[in-house]
Amino acid sequence: MEGGHLNDNLEQLSLESIAIKDSQDDVWQDITELVDKGTQELSSGQLLKPAYFTLFDAMTSIEVMDPRLDMGMLSKEDHEEIAQWDIQRKLNLHEALWISLQMFRCEMTWHMSASLLQTIYTCNYFTQYSMDQMVGEEESDNPVRDLVLYPILVGTGLCCRYVWNEYGRENVFREEDVHFGAVSPHFFDEYSQSDALRLLDVAQAYLEQKKDDEAAQQLLVLVHVRRHWLQGLAWLSSDDGNERALEELARLQQVEWRISESGQCVRGVFDRKCMRRYPSAAPTKPIELASIEKSYQTLVQMARDLHELLGALEQARSVEHLMYIFQAIAIRSPQPEPFVRSVVMSAFERDGRVRGSESLESFARRAILEVAAAPTKALSAVDGEMARVLADWFRTHCQNGPRQRRIALKYLGMWDAMQAVAEQNDINAYGGDPSQNPFWTSSWIYLMKLLLLEEGMLAGVRLCVYLDYEMPLLFGYLTQVLEAHVAHIDRMLSFVAQKSDQQPRAMQLLRWRASALAQKELCLAEWLIAHACERLNVFVAPWHKHSGSQSALQAALRLDAEPAQRARYALRLRAMSMLGSPSFLNFDGWKATVAQLDECRIADLFEHASAALLRARMALDDGRRHGSSSSDPELAAWEAAHKPVYHAVLANSVSLSKLLQSHVFATAATAELGVTGDAAQRNRLSLLNADLNAAQGMQPTTNKKKLKKIKRERQWRDDVNKLVSDKLQISWSTGKHPDWPIYTFIDP
């Protein structure tokens, strides 16, 4: 709010506080006193602003606690630090070691999704737009800087340039994986690959003359590491350099890391508040630089991941093999760094070519023909859109976890539409009789759609999207889907078996069947265990943990009512309910299925789960036999991709076996654990109503028979609570098996 009297007073204050001078240069003045006096003149609701200061400026620049504003504040210590900067300062080896290690930490922290402004751009040497002409020249009067430090920085800059160019392919996403910012990066662009390698040779030669110095020995290690990483990145950026890149990455892992000291600190070299120069591009979250050891581990892990994954892509000879490789990437925990995932995506598909040679359409047709003897007429449905969606299916496995799940659920509708088109093409090729028509193309698309559906739902477990009480619903629905999956593969196998020349296709389908069957049995076991835990009040919905107040009880009643349950069911399975296939299990069907389980004793549920885990293990063991030889690469890739499933089966089998043999289970199986689900599920509303009436100080308006039943059920609930708290502790975790809960039953 502007007022004449107020403006006059503040204008006088400003004239007293600031002596305005006519000058061509910017003059910075301390306005602390002016602001202090000005705020005393302002009353609540008033705003003082010059005419050019818009509301947009106010909203974006004067936001309280906005770090983009706070970062511009320089303390006395900051000024003292900045004053120490001197690009002409003569350095010794210990000082060069400290600067090089700090830059190495900045570089590796950048790889961990930090921004350039928080890491690499904090180095004042790095942000100089032109280096001294004496870089790499033996006649330099500052040899450590020009012959050691600058070559290492040039090599670092070129490595960053290769990484930035890879990020420019947009395989990974801004903010989710890497903070790009709006600053145009400067990585000593005037230096080429040959220039950087020549300078590293100069640094190596100089340091080898100083071998007696401990700092020189450690700088030599950094030079060797930089050389191999630089050459590896250079080969990765070329179209056909993967083999040479793998050699350099292998050499990098063999370098002996002998960094025992951090050198001698040089003040002024790193400007931690350099972001004040780029306020619009500054990230909103502060970070801590990774330690030297953590930085080295990050580099070695990236080299190891690139060597392993690119080597696997080179060796893959079939689409099936590639599927297993990418499925294994998806469930890795923790995931590879964003740069590694981007390189793998580029190596798989770039500029519309798969692995640099095969078109997307050809790749999609080959994927179908590996499992289906589809005629040329039916394959006409494989157009550019379908081929792109298939390539995206592979690339999705390299995205971060949340994006994997989002894309999987989003693409379900696209695969469903493609299946409808392919079905019509199959009918045109073979006729409309389902008993005679193998529906090769549409069957393959349906198979892919089922894989996408299952991966999307299991990604929710990995990301802890689902609450404990939702586990029965999740694994119950997945059991139905996987059962349809097994039946679908059996149908495909029946048509393959009719021809004697279909052995390779049958082998691949048998591996897919073993996988689907094992996961179906594991899902069934997880469902039964989760249902039993829910009945034992271990998995309790948040609204059941009420405080006993009337409002909490009334809220629990509303959330337990059927309309609320239907709404939650529809929300969780919204993407699946819109598919043409598999048949969607609606809410009424789900409740009927749960009612059937409620008739089983809790002890029986645990025993049936144990039997299901045994069948899952047998299916996995059977899948290991479906290979052309013991060295079959597809079989080896299948085993690697299914290790988490196998471990989850074994871990849960051991845990359940201990429970079934425990004293607690033997004594409780005929008592509390023997009660059917009627007591746990069907009277929940009655119990809540009784609690609500008691909280209101009213007598329940029910007959004596119902009151007696409610009392009996409340007693059962108290007994179960005592059993769980005093005799049997049940918990679950994912850990090494991110897609599958591992249950733990502890007998105190």
Side-chain angles (χ1 to χ4, degrees):
M1 178 177 180
E2 298 183 7
H5 177 67
L6 178 61
N7 285 342
D8 292 341
N9 289 345
L10 288 176
E11 184 178 359
Q12 182 63 32
L13 285 172
S14 64
L15 291 175
E16 294 175 359
S17 303
I18 301 176
I20 301 177
K21 301 178 181 179
D22 292 330
S23 173
Q24 298 297 326
D25 300 327
D26 292 333
V27 179
W28 292 86
Q29 298 289 343
D30 186 355
I31 61 171
T32 305
E33 184 179 357
L34 172 63
V35 172
D36 183 56
K37 292 181 178 180
T39 54
Q40 295 176 12
E41 291 286 329
L42 290 170
S43 61
S44 177
Q46 289 183 313
L47 170 67
L48 178 73
K49 71 176 186 66
Y52 59 83
F53 193 76
T54 65
L55 179 62
F56 177 79
D57 295 323
M59 296 298 291
T60 57
S61 300
I62 314 183
E63 184 179 350
V64 176
M65 296 304 293
D66 187 342
R68 287 173 293 185
L69 178 67
D70 296 341
M71 68 186 176
M73 301 295 291
L74 294 177
S75 64
K76 180 181 178 181
E77 290 76 12
D78 294 328
H79 284 292
E80 292 177 353
E81 179 74 19
I82 293 172
Q84 298 292 323
W85 166 240
D86 179 11
I87 194 172
Q88 299 299 331
R89 172 174 175 166
K90 292 187 177 181
L91 302 174
N92 59 44
L93 289 174
H94 290 270
E95 291 172 333
L97 175 63
W98 181 83
I99 297 171
S100 300
L101 287 175
Q102 295 306 306
M103 272 303 301
F104 183 64
R105 294 174 63 195
C106 290
E107 180 189 8
M108 292 303 113
T109 306
W110 178 52
H111 278 294
M112 299 175 195
S113 303
S115 75
L116 287 171
L117 294 177
Q118 294 171 307
T119 53
I120 293 171
Y121 272 21
T122 61
C123 180
N124 287 322
Y125 281 111
F126 202 94
T127 53
Q128 300 304 307
Y129 283 90
S130 62
M131 282 189 173
D132 195 297
Q133 294 299 318
M134 298 304 293
V135 174
E137 300 295 332
E138 295 183 0
E139 297 81 7
S140 170
D141 59 354
N142 196 349
V144 174
R145 185 198 65 178
D146 295 340
L147 304 182
V148 178
L149 178 61
Y150 274 171
I152 291 176
L153 293 180
V154 169
T156 301
L158 191 53
C159 289
C160 293
R161 194 193 313 167
Y162 284 127
V163 174
W164 186 267
N165 291 340
E166 177 60 45
Y167 285 153
R169 302 182 191 277
E170 297 185 348
N171 290 324
V172 293
F173 290 81
R174 296 172 183 265
E175 309 303 333
E176 292 187 20
D177 296 291
V178 177
H179 191 292
F180 281 72
V183 180
S184 178
H186 165 66
F187 299 128
F188 305 128
D189 297 335
E190 65 271 22
Y191 290 93
S192 65
Q193 170 80 6
S194 58
D195 292 333
L197 291 176
R198 177 183 62 81
L199 289 175
L200 288 175
D201 288 338
V202 170
Q204 181 175 343
Y206 180 85
L207 292 169
E208 285 178 346
Q209 297 174 3
K210 310 286 184 177
K211 274 189 175 182
D212 294 338
D213 193 309
E214 180 66 23
Q217 296 175 14
Q218 299 187 43
L219 282 166
L220 266 176
V221 173
L222 290 177
V223 169
H224 292 316
V225 167
R226 178 60 56 194
R227 181 190 302 279
H228 294 311
W229 182 235
L230 174 59
Q231 290 182 309
L233 293 178
W235 285 114
L236 286 176
S237 66
S238 62
D239 293 332
D240 55 353
N242 277 359
E243 184 177 350
R244 297 291 300 273
L246 295 179
E247 295 176 1
E248 292 297 336
L249 294 173
R251 294 191 184 103
L252 171 62
Q253 298 175 60
Q254 296 169 2
V255 174
E256 185 180 353
W257 183 256
R258 302 189 307 273
I259 304 298
S260 58
E261 63 171 281
S262 57
Q264 183 178 341
C265 176
V266 185
R267 295 189 61 190
V269 173
F270 290 89
D271 183 0
R272 300 302 180 190
K273 294 189 177 181
C274 71
M275 290 182 289
R276 70 186 181 278
R277 290 174 276 174
Y278 313 93
S280 62
T284 57
K285 294 181 179 179
I287 64 156
E288 291 289 336
L289 291 181
S291 66
I292 295 174
E293 287 302 319
K294 175 64 176 176
S295 299
Y296 176 68
Q297 292 169 7
T298 299
L299 178 62
V300 171
Q301 187 61 51
M302 285 197 297
R304 186 179 296 119
D305 289 341
L306 286 169
H307 190 275
E308 174 189 343
L309 296 175
L310 295 179
L313 289 180
E314 290 286 331
Q315 297 172 5
R317 64 185 186 187
S318 66
V319 178
E320 178 198 11
H321 194 166
L322 287 171
M323 285 184 179
Y324 298 144
I325 292 172
F326 280 87
Q327 285 177 328
I329 295 174
I331 62 176
R332 283 187 58 170
S333 183
Q335 278 190 296
E337 300 297 340
F339 174 69
V340 175
R341 291 186 276 121
S342 181
V343 169
V344 172
M345 282 187 270
S346 296
F348 167 70
E349 186 265 323
R350 184 191 301 177
D351 301 328
R353 312 293 293 181
V354 175
R355 295 198 289 180
S357 59
E358 190 174 14
S359 69
L360 294 181
E361 290 81 0
S362 173
F363 179 76
R365 292 190 178 95
R366 184 159 65 93
I368 297 173
L369 292 173
E370 282 186 7
V371 295
T376 305
K377 187 176 181 180
L379 287 176
S380 62
V382 183
D383 55 11
E385 180 185 4
M386 178 178 171
R388 168 51 60 189
V389 172
L390 176 63
D392 285 346
W393 184 87
F394 281 89
R395 292 162 60 87
T396 297
H397 292 84
C398 293
Q399 301 295 349
N400 58 57
R403 184 165 286 275
Q404 285 180 29
R405 181 173 180 269
R406 290 198 302 272
I407 296 179
L409 297 180
K410 173 185 175 183
Y411 276 18
L412 281 176
M414 300 176 65
W415 282 95
D416 197 56
M418 289 190 301
Q419 182 185 349
V421 175
E423 282 178 359
Q424 188 58 50
N425 287 340
D426 286 332
I427 290 174
N428 295 337
Y430 282 92
D433 186 358
S435 63
Q436 302 298 323
N437 190 347
F439 289 94
W440 285 126
T441 306
S442 57
S443 292
W444 176 83
I445 294 176
Y446 183 42
L447 186 67
M448 294 297 298
K449 183 175 67 175
L450 289 172
L451 288 173
L452 198 67
L453 191 157
E454 294 154 10
E455 290 174 358
M457 295 193 71
L458 288 173
V461 180
R462 191 185 320 143
L463 298 169
C464 300
V465 170
Y466 305 102
L467 299 178
D468 290 353
Y469 80 97
E470 293 178 304
M471 288 297 167
L473 169 62
L474 169 69
F475 288 108
Y477 181 75
L478 266 177
T479 301
Q480 310 288 328
V481 172
L482 284 161
E483 190 169 356
H485 195 161
V486 174
H488 178 64
I489 296 178
D490 285 339
R491 183 183 183 279
M492 296 179 71
L493 279 168
S494 67
F495 281 95
V496 168
Q498 295 175 10
K499 297 184 178 181
S500 58
D501 60 340
Q502 302 298 310
Q503 182 63 23
R505 293 188 175 95
M507 198 69 69
Q508 179 171 342
L509 286 172
L510 286 170
R511 284 192 288 264
W512 284 113
R513 185 185 186 279
S515 172
L517 181 59
Q519 291 184 81
K520 191 263 289 188
E521 296 294 344
L522 177 55
C523 268
L524 176 60
E526 300 275 10
W527 180 20
L528 297 177
I529 296 173
H531 186 78
C533 290
E534 186 181 42
R535 293 247 298 270
L536 287 170
N537 288 343
V538 177
F539 289 174
V540 180
W543 51 84
H544 293 143
K545 301 175 182 178
H546 53 74
S547 61
S549 66
Q550 293 186 33
S551 59
L553 288 166
Q554 289 172 348
L557 281 170
R558 289 193 298 271
L559 291 171
D560 242 353
E562 185 171 308
Q565 294 180 17
R566 286 182 180 275
R568 290 195 298 272
Y569 188 89
L571 180 63
R572 276 302 189 204
L573 303 179
R574 178 177 54 187
M576 299 75 175
S577 65
M578 295 185 289
L579 301 178
S581 60
S583 299
F584 181 67
L585 181 67
N586 59 27
F587 181 77
D588 293 328
W590 165 252
K591 294 296 288 185
T593 304
V594 172
Q596 293 178 3
L597 283 185
D598 283 344
E599 298 301 325
C600 299
R601 301 184 315 152
I602 295 177
D604 293 337
L605 293 176
F606 285 134
E607 290 176 344
H608 289 321
S610 181
L613 290 172
L614 177 61
R615 294 193 296 271
R617 188 173 62 179
M618 293 172 62
L620 289 170
D621 291 338
D622 185 60
R624 289 178 166 180
R625 293 192 289 270
H626 298 311
S628 58
S629 66
S630 59
S631 59
D632 188 344
E634 280 82 4
L635 180 59
W638 181 88
E639 291 180 351
H642 288 81
K643 277 184 178 180
V645 180
Y646 202 87
H647 289 319
V649 170
L650 291 179
N652 279 317
S653 296
V654 171
S655 185
L656 269 179
S657 177
K658 291 180 178 179
L659 171 66
L660 296 177
Q661 297 173 10
S662 68
H663 175 72
V664 169
F665 186 85
T667 57
T670 57
E672 293 89 347
L673 289 178
V675 180
T676 63
D678 292 339
Q681 303 291 336
R682 299 179 182 176
N683 295 293
R684 180 179 290 163
L685 289 178
S686 299
L687 292 172
L688 285 172
N689 275 315
D691 290 339
L692 181 60
N693 289 330
Q696 293 172 339
M698 299 167 55
Q699 292 297 324
T701 56
T702 54
N703 56 40
K704 292 183 178 180
K705 184 176 181 180
K706 193 169 184 179
L707 281 174
K708 185 176 181 180
K709 184 177 182 181
I710 291 175
K711 183 178 180 181
R712 185 172 66 251
E713 299 306 336
R714 184 176 286 111
Q715 182 61 44
W716 176 86
R717 184 179 63 181
D718 293 340
D719 291 342
V720 169
N721 288 338
K722 187 174 186 303
L723 168 70
V724 175
S725 61
D726 296 344
K727 297 181 180 179
L728 182 64
Q729 297 177 7
I730 303 175
S731 62
W732 68 275
S733 63
T734 49
K736 295 182 180 179
H737 325 290
D739 288 351
W740 304 97
I742 305 298
Y743 290 92
T744 305
F745 307 93
I746 303 175
D747 179 3

